[in-house]
Amino acid sequence: MHIPDNYLSPSTCVVMAAAMVPVWAVSVKKVRLEVTKEKMPLIGVGAALSFLGMMFNVPLFGGTTGHIVGGTLLALLCGPYSACIAVTIALLVQALIFGDGGILSFGANCFNMAFVLPFVGYYISTAITKHSQSNIRKNVGHAIGSYIGINVAAFCAAVEFGIQPYLFKDIQGQALYCPYALDISIPAMMLGHLVIAGILEAIVTVTVLSFVQQTSPGLMYHSVEHKKTYRPLYALLAGLIIFTPLGLLAAGTAWGEWGTDEIVNIISKGAVLGYTPSKMANGFSFPSIFPDYSIAGMPEWLGYILCAVAGTAILVILFKIISNFMSSKGKYA
């Protein structure tokens, strides 16, 4: 679901980034008002959970791959506004350091995964579980909310991809950016998310929330419990880091994330594309430090683990530093 650079036109990227500005502004204001010094590190842990979840690629239909995002999970754990900030920072780290997702398309990626996903998932989940004391109903609500949230986000990405060939063509009628129209982008994106990725998102959401509820219920959003400890979550992060190389087992590239050397040979509806869109071939390129979560000279699996360690550390430490500038009541010193 990470849209690379040059798949969307600059004007589309500007519109999507502009749409995120008020979302970020409101989210930051809400976090400053609602999140205490004690709970601020939880946003960093949530961002790390999302970051690691997106490293576990799974095979989807047509030889492509996908991943969970954890947006609804973070919204239910930290609150939707905190989740927006957490996923935004995770996406920023991915784009700048690991080349996962574009720089110009950062606003679009945030709109889909940091705004649409957590807010849709959160409000559907809470609508189902409102006033309920039943753990079964809560789990069902969380599963449904997270399933719908990631699929709505995937649909938004599919539309952003699919409108490009209608709006931006050269004089020969060839697409300048993403070459796949809505009749291709929507089925291609939605099938894998409806059947596989959405179900995995729901399973992970329910499992992790149950884990937190049992080990440290005081960390839950709006919780009145007093039992708060980050140790179980840090242990969870460590376990996920160790197993991140499993994400390398899924062969193929995620739909819509092909490089310029790949897209010319992509088959869709039984036909090879046969060309590379000109603006894609000669577009913006940002040299990330560890592209595709790899480190030169190291075995692929080891580089993947070290990138997971680096990304997790950056996110956890960043929010820990922020918490150090807050007073005990949550106000900034």
Side-chain angles (χ1 to χ4, degrees):
M1 203 187 301
H2 290 71
I3 302 175
D5 281 326
N6 308 315
Y7 271 78
L8 305 182
S9 71
S11 56
T12 305
C13 292
V14 168
V15 169
M16 300 308 298
M20 279 304 298
V21 170
V23 177
W24 285 324
V26 172
S27 295
V28 169
K29 183 178 180 180
K30 288 283 188 178
V31 169
R32 288 175 63 95
L33 292 174
E34 296 179 355
V35 180
T36 64
K37 176 185 179 72
E38 186 179 16
K39 278 197 172 183
M40 180 59 73
L42 182 61
I43 303 179
V45 173
L49 284 172
S50 179
F51 172 83
L52 291 173
M54 289 187 271
M55 291 184 71
F56 282 89
N57 299 309
V58 295
L60 300 181
F61 301 102
T64 63
T65 62
H67 56 73
I68 67 167
V69 177
T72 304
L73 165 63
L74 301 193
L76 293 168
L77 184 61
C78 311
Y81 296 99
S82 294
C84 178
I85 299 301
V87 178
T88 293
I89 301 301
L91 291 172
L92 183 62
V93 169
Q94 288 178 320
L96 290 176
I97 300 178
F98 305 106
D100 193 5
I103 302 299
L104 299 181
S105 57
F106 177 69
N109 286 324
C110 287
F111 182 87
N112 303 331
M113 290 184 275
F115 172 51
V116 171
L117 197 167
F119 280 89
V120 169
Y122 175 81
Y123 285 110
I124 289 177
S125 177
T126 53
I128 295 172
T129 61
K130 189 175 182 180
H131 304 310
S132 175
Q133 300 300 316
S134 168
N135 287 331
I136 294 177
R137 181 171 175 177
K138 287 180 180 179
N139 288 338
V140 169
H142 297 160
I144 292 173
S146 56
Y147 177 83
I148 294 176
I150 195 171
N151 277 288
V152 174
F155 179 79
C156 290
V159 171
E160 291 153 16
F161 278 126
I163 63 174
Q164 301 304 307
Y166 295 113
L167 300 176
F168 308 100
K169 300 179 181 180
D170 60 20
I171 57 175
Q172 285 80 35
Q174 292 185 336
L176 294 174
Y177 302 98
C178 177
Y180 298 111
L182 294 171
D183 63 328
I184 296 177
S185 66
I186 292 178
M189 284 289 290
M190 296 312 300
L191 182 60
H193 284 84
L194 286 169
V195 178
I196 299 177
I199 294 175
L200 290 176
E201 182 89 3
I203 292 172
V204 170
T205 298
V206 172
T207 301
V208 175
L209 286 174
S210 298
F211 173 76
V212 176
Q213 185 65 52
Q214 292 175 10
T215 59
S216 188
L219 292 178
M220 296 291 293
Y221 188 50
H222 288 326
S223 173
V224 295
E225 294 279 348
H226 297 291
K227 184 181 179 182
K228 300 184 181 78
T229 174
Y230 284 92
R231 289 181 181 178
L233 286 177
Y234 290 141
L236 177 61
L237 292 178
L240 290 174
I241 289 171
I242 292 171
F243 288 102
T244 49
L246 292 175
L248 295 170
L249 298 178
T253 304
W255 196 93
E257 296 185 28
W258 307 288
T260 55
D261 58 333
E262 295 177 284
I263 195 168
V264 65
N265 297 315
I266 295 298
I267 299 175
S268 182
K269 290 190 174 181
V272 176
L273 181 62
Y275 73 97
T276 300
S278 61
K279 295 295 185 180
M280 188 179 294
N282 303 298
F284 175 79
S285 178
F286 179 81
S288 57
I289 302 172
F290 303 118
D292 298 323
Y293 305 100
S294 63
I295 300 176
M298 286 190 177
E300 188 177 26
W301 66 270
L302 180 57
Y304 211 66
I305 289 178
L306 292 178
C307 286
V309 171
T312 299
I314 290 170
L315 293 167
V316 171
I317 292 172
L318 173 62
F319 285 94
K320 181 63 176 176
I321 292 173
I322 293 173
S323 71
N324 289 336
F325 287 93
M326 299 172 66
S327 69
S328 61
K329 294 183 179 180
K331 301 292 185 179
Y332 286 83

